[in-house]
Amino acid sequence: MRALLLFASLFALIGGTGCDLTTRFGATATSGVLRQASQAVEQHWDVDLVGDGLPSSILQLEGIYAVIPDDEELGIEVMRASGSYAWGWLSDEAEDALARGDLERQEALSLRGRLLFLRARNIGVHHMRRRDAGIDAAIAGGPDALRRYLAQRYGAREHAPILFWTGYAWAGAIQMSNADPELIADVPLVRVILERSAELDPGFFHASAIMALAAMDAALPPELGGDPERGRARFEQALERTDRK
């Protein structure tokens, strides 16, 4: 009887583990397909069609990511989809609502966009934390501490994507924060993250880190690090890297 009970317990354990492994294997395989498919979506000519489909894509990615939250490449896809939808569609709709004087609609859209951006930012920090738990202390230490930390821990070209999408999402949350002072205070941190991404791979994702920094230079006041002339130079640099596209 003891032998039978032991066998039954082991069988249940192995069976449960096998089911979990099968689920994770299936999720991993699916995530690989979705990452490849995202390139086709990026190049699609019908912007409205892409915008209508992105919410479903985000939910699908989030569902798979819930199964394999340690998959950094999948996490980046979730960040990318969420940030792209928040910026490319929700932000535009919020501006249109503001222009019409529909402040209630503008606030609702801004909140949706801000939450999507913050979700993406948090995913980025999660994966940076998995690389090295010191990221939290570096962020808490301010821009100079974060700059030193990134210089020590992020020195390879393949580190540029996680830095870019984290900084991009964080910047988007600030842009849609309706002047939330806590988020605005994070601008120097965002600048450090984007600068490091641009240093590691200036051409990543159509020189988008350089473009983001240029936009910040052009839009922000001097007390928050704005510098229109530097912004102009960065825009020109991004244009040169993308054959002026």
Side-chain angles (χ1 to χ4, degrees):
M1 180 62 71
R2 286 195 297 270
L4 285 172
L5 287 173
L6 177 60
F7 177 78
S9 299
L10 288 172
F11 182 80
L13 177 62
I14 293 170
T17 303
C19 181
D20 182 60
L21 288 174
T22 301
T23 301
R24 290 178 63 84
F25 178 80
T28 301
T30 303
S31 72
V33 173
L34 289 175
R35 283 195 293 269
Q36 295 179 40
S38 68
Q39 298 175 11
V41 173
E42 179 189 333
Q43 298 170 14
H44 201 281
W45 58 270
D46 191 328
V47 176
D48 291 330
L49 181 64
V50 173
D52 291 341
L54 265 176
S56 297
S57 298
I58 293 169
L59 288 175
Q60 187 176 27
L61 287 166
E62 285 277 17
I64 299 171
Y65 185 63
V67 179
I68 45 176
D70 53 347
D71 188 319
E72 183 174 309
E73 289 189 15
L74 179 59
I76 288 176
E77 287 301 319
V78 179
M79 297 168 68
R80 177 176 169 179
S82 300
S84 296
Y85 182 63
W87 179 256
W89 284 268
L90 294 180
S91 177
D92 274 1
E93 290 180 28
E95 290 183 6
D96 288 343
L98 180 62
R100 296 193 307 270
D102 189 346
L103 300 183
E104 184 175 348
R105 176 68 174 163
Q106 185 264 342
E107 174 60 28
L109 289 166
S110 295
L111 177 60
R112 286 182 63 198
R114 183 161 68 253
L115 291 176
L116 275 175
F117 276 129
L118 288 174
R119 166 63 175 159
R121 188 274 311 267
N122 291 344
I123 290 174
V125 173
H126 160 70
H127 286 289
M128 294 176 76
R129 188 179 294 125
R130 289 192 74 252
R131 288 173 177 268
D132 181 82
I135 183 62
D136 294 303
I139 290 173
D144 291 337
L146 181 59
R147 185 177 290 107
R148 289 192 298 269
Y149 173 84
L150 294 181
Q152 294 170 358
R153 297 289 181 176
Y154 291 79
R157 186 176 182 181
E158 58 264 28
H159 295 153
I162 189 66
L163 293 174
F164 169 72
W165 289 111
T166 302
Y168 172 83
W170 207 336
I174 295 170
Q175 194 271 336
M176 299 191 76
S177 69
N178 290 336
D180 182 334
E182 287 191 20
L183 277 173
I184 291 175
D186 291 338
V187 166
L189 298 173
V190 175
R191 184 184 294 279
V192 168
I193 293 172
L194 290 172
E195 285 175 345
R196 187 56 178 161
S197 178
E199 289 169 0
L200 295 174
D201 188 355
F204 175 72
F205 201 65
H206 320 296
S208 289
I210 298 173
M211 285 288 291
L213 289 165
M216 293 174 71
D217 285 336
L220 292 173
E223 55 268 24
L224 288 177
D227 184 336
E229 288 305 313
R230 184 175 60 196
R232 180 190 294 274
R234 280 177 164 156
F235 275 126
E236 186 61 33
Q237 183 183 358
L239 285 166
E240 290 176 1
R241 285 189 169 272
T242 58
D243 295 326
R244 309 198 73 79
K245 295 178 182 179

